[in-house]
Amino acid sequence: MNKRKREEEEEEGIRMGTDIVWQTPANPPHPHDYIFRNGIRYVKPYYFEFIAHVKNRWAGKTIVDLFAQEFKGRPYEYYVSAVKCGRIQVDGERVSVSYIVKSSQKISHFVHRHEPPVMACEVPILQKELDVLTVCKPASVPVHPCGQYRKNTVVGILQAEHGLAPVFPVHRLDRLVSGLLILARNASKADIFRQQIEGGLVRKKYIARVVGEFPKDELVVDANIDYNAREGRSTAEVRDSAKGKAASTKFTRISSNGAQSIVLCEPITGRTHQVGNYQIRVHLKHSGHPIANDMLYISDETVDRSSKGSSADRSACTSATALTSSIEEKVVNDCEEKSNVGFSIDPMCTNCPNLAPKGYDTDEEGLWLHCIQYSGPDWTYECPYPDWAKLTQTT
């Protein structure tokens, strides 16, 4: 890019700055924020103010070097242009590219935000009470805003499409896991759930589709969970090992066709953040029967991706939609018809003209791991089984 063209883009960025409506976390999502294409839910790119405060280790760096070194998702030249045109500010003021930041200063980065896509599934409401809401979370959709996800989350979709806010997720389900999600409708109810979970008063049940013929007899896996940051995954260690944290999971076979099995998974003990997450995945791997499409814990040779041509995400999506199929199918179709509109291209955006940010795969699969029940001292909430829990008998 020549110097004149860059200057024109910077000038365009300055002119745009006077007309842009910058969103913050306080701005709620709306139905018109979503674009549905080919079974994928996109978020229409929007302008957003990211706010951070200068950490002690950042102090003394130039504003451009700070961003180039700490936020490597964009090229150095972008940050130079962003500072020059005011897309990056310090304490609400424009600064020069050689400005030296000081500890605790407020830094604003005004970006054209592209959120990662998710499957175009509804979020079916299972139960709606005065203080509690339960939904069937589809695979691929994060529970709450995190990282690059904000509107493409269960919390965001519930607010945009059902007007339900605020809601407080009671427990975690990883993005690729589907099933029962409990949300408190006020902070006090959320705190009651939190105390019961931390006090070991809550039982959880999941089902998984695993490799091979799982044993008929109940199996309890007692093995420490040790997270390997370098490999980005956990391993199971013997109980008396100094590595990892103690964890125990009970498994019961529900059905099997010889090649794969449906297994009931009940975490007995374990760290709160592991339960229903890596604990089940790691313990199934340790048992010799990993989740049949868990690419993190299974070799490519044993993965059966076919499932009659349906990915786990689509299967989970189908299961969720089946709860209120006719209504929700119409909603998705109507959304697709109404959302086939374009969006403004930002001259400085490194993701435009694409809808999704760079590096995200729209064909990503969800795990064959599904939460079916949570129960406490005087309550029980449940979620229907997904379609992938029906095994085809082998010949």
Side-chain angles (χ1 to χ4, degrees):
M1 183 184 294
N2 59 46
K3 181 178 179 182
R4 178 57 189 162
K5 183 171 175 140
R6 185 180 294 114
E7 289 175 348
E8 289 175 353
E9 287 192 358
E10 290 171 5
E11 291 172 1
E12 176 67 12
I14 294 172
R15 289 198 297 272
M16 287 179 62
T18 60
D19 301 321
I20 292 172
V21 176
W22 298 99
Q23 296 187 32
T24 71
N27 295 101
H30 296 279
H32 59 71
D33 291 337
Y34 299 99
I35 296 176
F36 296 81
R37 292 180 181 172
N38 302 319
I40 303 297
R41 180 193 291 264
Y42 297 90
V43 173
K44 190 180 299 184
Y46 56 99
Y47 290 98
F48 188 80
E49 179 186 4
F50 279 103
I51 298 174
H53 290 84
V54 178
K55 301 176 182 179
N56 289 334
R57 65 182 178 84
W58 295 355
K61 295 181 179 181
T62 68
I63 186 67
V64 173
D65 285 345
L66 186 161
F67 273 89
Q69 293 170 16
E70 300 293 336
F71 306 98
K72 299 180 180 180
R74 294 179 170 85
Y76 186 90
E77 292 75 15
Y78 164 83
Y79 290 121
V80 172
S81 298
V83 172
K84 285 182 177 180
C85 76
R87 290 282 182 97
I88 293 177
Q89 299 181 4
V90 179
D91 288 333
E93 302 289 337
R94 294 177 62 173
V95 297
S96 69
V97 294
S98 59
Y99 181 85
I100 305 296
V101 300
K102 304 176 185 65
S103 181
S104 299
Q105 284 184 307
K106 173 189 171 184
I107 299 177
S108 295
H109 185 194
F110 299 91
V111 302
H112 194 232
R113 186 168 182 176
H114 292 239
E115 292 195 27
V118 299
M119 295 299 295
C121 305
E122 290 296 298
V123 180
I125 295 174
L126 302 174
Q127 199 158 340
K128 191 174 181 180
E129 301 173 355
L130 181 64
D131 294 328
V132 181
L133 179 74
T134 67
V135 303
C136 182
K137 173 192 159 329
S140 89
V141 184
V143 171
H144 52 73
C146 56
Q148 294 194 61
Y149 297 90
R150 178 170 165 257
K151 299 180 181 183
N152 247 354
T153 61
V154 172
V155 171
I157 294 169
L158 286 174
Q159 185 169 12
E161 298 182 352
H162 297 278
L164 292 167
V167 290
F168 304 85
V170 168
H171 58 99
R172 66 175 286 177
L173 283 182
D174 273 6
R175 187 173 64 84
L176 297 181
V177 177
S178 60
L180 176 68
L181 179 66
I182 305 171
L183 305 106
R185 303 187 68 181
N186 55 65
S188 59
K189 187 65 175 181
D191 190 56
I192 292 173
F193 278 122
R194 179 189 60 79
Q195 292 179 33
Q196 291 180 355
I197 291 173
E198 292 181 353
L201 302 177
V202 176
R203 296 184 61 188
K204 307 97 178 173
K205 293 183 179 180
Y206 295 74
I207 58 168
R209 181 167 173 166
V210 305
V211 170
E213 186 169 1
F214 203 83
K216 290 183 178 180
D217 295 334
E218 178 181 292
L219 174 67
V220 176
V221 175
D222 286 300
N224 292 3
I225 304 294
D226 181 44
Y227 180 70
N228 187 319
R230 186 177 65 179
E231 295 183 1
R233 65 177 187 172
S234 299
T235 57
E237 306 290 340
V238 294
R239 177 51 68 89
D240 58 357
S241 171
K243 293 183 178 180
K245 300 294 183 179
S248 179
T249 312
K250 181 173 72 174
F251 299 106
T252 307
R253 190 175 88 179
I254 297 174
S255 63
S256 179
N257 62 7
Q260 295 181 345
S261 302
I262 302 300
V263 178
L264 176 66
C265 315
E266 300 177 81
I268 301 171
T269 59
R271 287 157 57 178
T272 301
H273 77 277
Q274 291 173 337
V275 174
N277 175 19
Y278 281 106
Q279 177 173 328
I280 291 174
R281 297 168 67 183
V282 174
H283 279 179
L284 282 170
K285 171 68 173 178
H286 185 69
S287 75
H289 300 275
I291 294 173
N293 70 340
D294 192 344
M295 299 306 295
L296 193 61
Y297 293 100
I298 191 173
S299 64
D300 294 337
E301 289 75 16
T302 56
V303 175
D304 178 9
R305 290 173 171 270
S306 62
S307 187
K308 296 187 178 179
S310 174
S311 73
D313 268 352
R314 289 178 174 81
S315 182
C317 183
T318 301
S319 303
T321 305
L323 297 172
T324 50
S325 57
S326 59
I327 297 175
E328 292 178 358
E329 184 176 356
K330 183 179 185 302
V331 170
V332 172
N333 290 339
D334 288 349
C335 286
E336 289 190 352
E337 291 177 4
K338 295 176 182 177
S339 65
N340 286 327
V341 295
F343 61 94
S344 60
I345 305 297
D346 185 272
M348 288 188 63
C349 181
T350 56
N351 289 309
C352 283
N354 299 318
L355 269 173
K358 294 177 181 178
Y360 280 85
D361 184 4
T362 57
D363 293 326
E364 181 181 47
E365 286 192 334
L367 287 175
W368 284 333
L369 180 62
H370 183 89
C371 181
I372 60 169
Q373 185 186 93
Y374 259 61
S375 58
D378 55 359
W379 54 267
T380 298
Y381 295 108
E382 296 180 333
C383 183
Y385 281 25
D387 284 353
W388 53 252
K390 302 172 185 176
L391 290 176
T392 302
Q393 293 300 315
T394 58
T395 57

